[in-house]
Amino acid sequence: MIILSDDIIFRKAVIHLLNVELGKFAPAQDLFMMQPDVIELVRKQVCYLLNSDELKAADWNTKEPVFQKLEQMNEKDDKSFIQTSAYLADRLFDIMCDSVEIPSADLLYLSFQTNQEIYYALIKLNYQNSFMHELMKYDNEEIISNIRHKKILPLGKRISEGIIFNLSLQKVMLKEKKYEMLNGDKIYYLTERFLRSIAQTEAKRKYQILSSTIKIINKKYPEDGLEHQMVQKLLL
């Protein structure tokens, strides 16, 4: 079922700073009050995440700390909401520090509802290197210089990492990327280290595997392959 951005209603949000390069974890102390333009941007990103063909399901494991904390949280209580999100952010930050590849980020934790179901989302707003111009005067001459700075999610940029939880259905879905850890292993750290769960193959990857398999069969057995069979059916 396709979910539209207008179907998403935000309930609460909090944002934490996870700066691996500086070794700085700054948990939020208060709820994040989003302005209307930010609400619209985040709503579109959550909608994209929910409808993405790169979204995959993972097992709900009540024995693991992440799921236990979510089940114990009282979403209606601001203190419980903030403390739970801070615990999750701290846990994620420790894992991020075990890699030189995982980008620093602002971690947005929010609750929202759609189709009468309440969801919780962890959205990783990865920092990106960018440049801005600065106009300076030197010896009465104007000089334009470039300043390197970091920015979070720019307009039009899609989320590359995020997790969505539905407690009532005990369902977790995520979009993630592989990164190399300090021990040399390249892993899906959100599934394997953060959730400690097992994820299914996303729809996009399933299609790629199926297409690749069909091409191999057709190439190896041109007279018996799937493409030949489809042509024969069309001729009947």
Side-chain angles (χ1 to χ4, degrees):
M1 179 178 63
I2 301 297
I3 296 176
L4 304 176
S5 60
D6 290 341
D7 297 332
I8 298 171
I9 302 172
F10 290 129
R11 295 165 63 91
K12 291 182 180 180
V14 64
I15 194 163
H16 307 282
L17 186 152
L18 284 62
N19 195 320
V20 178
E21 295 174 2
L22 299 178
K24 183 178 182 181
F25 168 59
Q29 304 300 316
D30 299 296
L31 293 177
F32 177 47
M33 301 302 176
M34 293 186 286
Q35 298 299 317
D37 56 340
V38 176
I39 289 176
E40 187 59 27
L41 173 62
V42 175
R43 181 183 282 120
K44 288 181 179 179
Q45 293 296 339
V46 171
C47 181
Y48 160 75
L49 190 59
L50 286 168
N51 295 317
S52 174
D53 59 2
E54 295 180 88
L55 196 68
K56 55 186 176 182
D59 293 341
W60 189 280
N61 191 345
T62 55
K63 295 181 180 180
E64 292 300 331
V66 168
F67 300 101
Q68 290 176 352
K69 285 292 183 180
L70 287 170
E71 290 174 345
Q72 294 167 3
M73 180 187 69
N74 179 5
E75 188 257 354
K76 294 180 180 179
D77 180 66
D78 291 352
K79 184 177 180 180
S80 176
F81 185 84
I82 294 170
Q83 288 180 343
T84 299
S85 69
Y87 169 84
L88 299 178
D90 187 28
R91 179 181 175 86
L92 182 59
F93 181 69
D94 283 344
I95 298 170
M96 290 167 59
C97 289
D98 195 30
S99 170
V100 295
E101 288 191 353
I102 301 175
S104 298
D106 285 348
L107 185 68
L108 178 64
Y109 177 70
L110 55 88
S111 60
F112 66 93
Q113 63 187 64
T114 181
N115 298 325
Q116 299 181 334
E117 289 284 347
I118 296 177
Y119 295 85
Y120 303 108
L122 276 175
I123 298 176
K124 195 162 172 279
L125 304 173
N126 293 333
Y127 298 162
Q128 296 179 339
N129 289 325
S130 183
F131 291 89
M132 62 182 294
H133 295 108
E134 182 181 40
L135 185 63
M136 303 176 62
K137 281 194 174 183
Y138 182 76
D139 288 341
N140 295 322
E141 291 186 10
E142 290 186 341
I143 300 174
I144 298 177
S145 62
N146 291 323
I147 300 175
R148 185 177 180 180
H149 72 112
K150 292 186 180 294
K151 61 181 180 180
I152 56 174
L153 191 69
L155 292 173
K157 184 72 175 180
R158 299 299 191 184
I159 294 171
S160 60
E161 297 180 275
I163 310 175
I164 295 177
F165 304 90
N166 184 316
L167 266 65
S168 62
L169 299 177
Q170 290 198 326
K171 184 177 180 181
V172 56
M173 301 167 289
L174 72 160
K175 182 182 178 186
E176 59 180 343
K177 296 179 67 177
K178 270 187 176 181
Y179 288 101
E180 185 174 326
M181 310 306 286
L182 293 180
N183 63 4
D185 293 341
K186 195 167 186 178
I187 64 171
Y188 287 112
Y189 73 100
L190 289 179
T191 297
E192 298 179 38
R193 296 280 298 275
F194 181 68
L195 296 176
R196 293 182 182 174
S197 179
I198 299 175
Q200 300 174 11
T201 304
E202 66 269 28
K204 181 178 180 180
R205 180 58 180 155
K206 286 181 180 178
Y207 176 77
Q208 291 172 340
I209 293 172
L210 179 60
S211 297
S212 177
T213 302
I214 291 174
K215 287 180 181 179
I216 292 172
I217 293 174
N218 288 332
K219 187 175 181 180
K220 193 170 184 179
Y221 307 103
E223 296 301 323
D224 301 315
L226 296 178
E227 184 177 348
H228 176 75
Q229 293 180 28
M230 292 299 294
V231 171
Q232 292 300 314
K233 286 184 179 180
L234 290 173
L235 293 176
L236 293 177

